[in-house]
Amino acid sequence: MYYGPTWGPGPWIFFVVLLLLIVAIALSAFLVRRGVAGGTSGAHRADGTMRETGLESARRILDERFARGEINEEEYRRRRHVIRDDGTSPGD
């Protein structure tokens, strides 16, 4: 019988496969948790609706405050102008 060095990968290959499997499972869990897997982008909620951007949220809150009468029309228009996409203030 020959008891010299073997040419196969050895028993350590099972640990490498196990490590790769753990990394793949962890990565899959991370992607599913972030909502990236399945073709959805990070801008979508789990129910399929789009998330609001900060600007949209600010406009919605301002509209609600105006509708409830917390601010008058002049204040509403001034603040609406400030939160526009260009970010300039009314005096600019």
Side-chain angles (χ1 to χ4, degrees), residues 55-74:
L55 186 61
E56 292 168 345
S57 178
R59 287 180 181 160
R60 182 184 49 79
I61 292 169
L62 184 62
D63 291 344
E64 290 172 359
R65 290 188 64 201
F66 179 65
R68 287 192 302 260
E70 294 177 9
I71 56 175
N72 61 20
E73 184 177 357
E74 179 184 336

Side-chain angles (χ1 to χ4, degrees), residues 20-38:
L20 290 175
L21 184 62
I22 290 171
V23 169
I25 290 171
L27 181 62
S28 298
F30 174 74
L31 292 177
V32 167
R33 179 119 168 105
R34 295 249 354 232
V36 176

Side-chain angles (χ1 to χ4, degrees), residues 2-3 12 17 19 27 29-30 34 45 48-49 51 55 60-61 64 71-72 76 79 82 87 89:
Y2 181 72
Y3 293 104
W12 59 268
V17 171
L19 180 64
L27 181 62
F30 174 74
R34 295 249 354 232
R45 293 186 177 134
T49 59
R51 289 186 189 151
L55 186 61
R60 182 184 49 79
I61 292 169
E64 290 172 359
I71 56 175
N72 61 20
Y76 172 79
R79 290 182 183 212
V82 170
S89 63

Side-chain angles (χ1 to χ4, degrees), residues 35-47:
V36 176
T40 61
S41 70
H44 288 85
R45 293 186 177 134
D47 63 0

